Amino acid sequence: MMLDADAIRALLTESRTIAVVGLSTKPERPSYGVAKYLQLHGYRVVPVNPTHAGEHILGEYCHGTLTQAADAVMRAGARIDIIDCFRKSEHVAPVVDEAIAVGARCVWMQLGVIDHAAATKAETAGLAVVMDKCIKIEHAFVMR
């Protein structure tokens, strides 16, 4: 079930920590621009990208896996609220499995990222799902 504007507004208002899976180190990439926007609007962004694990992106330590990121956030006394997925559709299912395992509140699949089976699995596990929408665009729209 896709979230409507009111549910997205509530989700974005109540969330504080967003793991960005597939966050790039390149400023020209959409994932970087979206993550920077989220930081500028008060969210803690937790980078997840195995290629850049151990590096810092936008001032935050990059983790190799979502599980590692969730463990680090938990040690700091918080939890990951939203998993923002910048992966190709065919790579979403393992991200959803990890999101369920770490107890995330929501899996957000960016524009063009569509996996109905993974979305159903996440919803069945109790996670909110947003699919084929940009979190930056939705934030700008519902939080105005």
Side-chain angles (χ1 to χ4, degrees):
M1 178 175 82
M2 292 294 288
L3 300 181
D4 64 14
D6 289 336
I8 290 174
R9 181 182 303 104
L11 174 68
L12 293 172
T13 299
E14 296 165 6
S15 297
R16 298 289 14 113
T17 305
I18 302 173
V20 180
V21 177
L23 180 55
S24 176
T25 59
K26 299 175 183 175
E28 66 273 13
R29 298 298 302 255
S31 63
Y32 189 97
V34 167
K36 187 172 183 174
Y37 171 91
L38 293 169
Q39 281 184 328
L40 291 172
H41 285 85
Y43 296 96
R44 176 173 180 207
V45 169
V46 181
V48 178
N49 186 328
T51 303
H52 299 291
E55 299 176 27
H56 283 78
I57 305 175
L58 292 167
E60 291 280 349
Y61 183 86
C62 183
H63 301 275
T65 69
L66 189 51
T67 301
Q68 292 167 349
D71 288 346
V73 169
M74 196 177 315
R75 284 193 303 276
R79 69 176 259 194
I80 295 175
D81 298 303
I82 299 172
I83 311 297
D84 187 14
C85 194
F86 277 92
R87 297 295 318 259
K88 291 182 179 180
S89 299
E90 60 266 25
H91 300 295
V92 170
V95 175
V96 167
D97 290 340
E98 268 195 290
I100 293 166
V102 302
R105 184 171 175 202
C106 172
V107 173
W108 192 298
M109 298 179 222
Q110 281 294 136
L111 281 171
V113 181
I114 300 166
D115 184 331
H116 294 285
T120 299
K121 186 173 187 177
E123 288 175 337
T124 300
L127 280 68
V129 175
V130 179
M131 187 166 50
D132 194 25
K133 290 184 182 283
C134 176
I135 195 169
K136 176 182 173 184
I137 293 169
E138 293 302 309
H139 181 276
F141 176 73
V142 302
M143 302 300 274
R144 56 188 157 120

